[in-house]
Amino acid sequence: MHLSGKGDLASSSVVCRSALIEGRLRGNLHCDDTATISYSGKIPGRISARNVVVERRADIHCFRTVRGENIEIKGRMSGEIIAQTVTVHKKGSLEGDVTARAISVEKGGMFSGQLAIGQVGLTQGELLQERPAIASQTTESSFPDAVARPLPAT
């Protein structure tokens, strides 16, 4: 799908393989592959995709959560992100809350907001239905005072 610079998409929900957003998007967007955003303005709907790329000339404010496996910020973005990996490139700017397995901010890039690392497993089912959850991960311990600890991020 291609939403041109003069386009204005007000559909409540769009599902596609990949999308290039250059115009105004007012509904929710779900891409099986890549959502590329090259737009400046407010995005009121949810965005979810395997890969989300905020292009260098983009300057967006997302009111709903942006979800994806890999999110790349080359331009400016504000909003909440839930992802496996987040990369803020040089000259990129991200402001908002991020929950991810890993985040990298290149020299010259900027991130401000709250960061929760390694907690994406809690939202993996919502994210992209990638892997089925294991029904029982609890193992019995022979130590009465054993405390379950979260696994380190990989």
Side-chain angles (χ1 to χ4, degrees):
M1 179 194 76
H2 179 211
L3 179 57
S4 69
K6 293 181 181 176
D8 186 341
L9 183 61
S11 173
S12 63
S13 186
V14 175
V15 177
C16 60
R17 183 168 175 81
S18 56
L20 171 59
I21 307 298
E22 295 177 318
R24 190 169 179 196
L25 174 68
R26 292 194 253 178
N28 297 330
L29 174 67
H30 174 80
C31 296
D32 291 332
D33 192 19
T34 302
T36 303
I37 301 165
S38 188
Y39 167 73
S40 290
K42 297 175 178 157
I43 299 179
R46 283 186 292 275
I47 296 174
S48 63
R50 186 170 304 280
N51 303 296
V52 178
V53 179
V54 178
E55 289 290 358
R56 192 159 314 283
R57 66 180 179 208
D59 185 354
I60 58 171
H61 177 70
C62 299
F63 290 104
R64 300 278 185 92
T65 304
V66 176
R67 295 175 188 266
E69 283 186 29
N70 305 300
I71 298 182
E72 291 185 62
I73 311 295
K74 298 177 180 178
R76 295 175 58 85
M77 177 187 165
S78 64
E80 180 185 5
I81 288 178
I82 296 177
Q84 294 291 327
T85 61
V86 177
T87 304
V88 180
H89 292 275
K90 65 178 185 179
K91 298 183 182 176
S93 170
L94 173 58
E95 184 179 333
D97 296 347
V98 173
T99 302
R101 281 187 180 258
I103 183 170
S104 63
V105 181
E106 292 181 354
K107 185 175 180 179
M110 190 182 89
F111 168 71
S112 64
Q114 292 192 339
L115 178 61
I117 291 288
Q119 298 180 10
V120 175
L122 301 173
T123 57
Q124 182 68 28
E126 297 177 281
L127 202 57
L128 291 169
Q129 297 93 35
E130 181 185 308
R131 292 180 273 263
I134 296 170
S136 175
Q137 289 186 322
T138 307
T139 56
E140 292 298 319
S141 173
S142 59
F143 299 104
D145 296 330
V147 177
R149 291 184 178 85
L151 296 172
T154 56

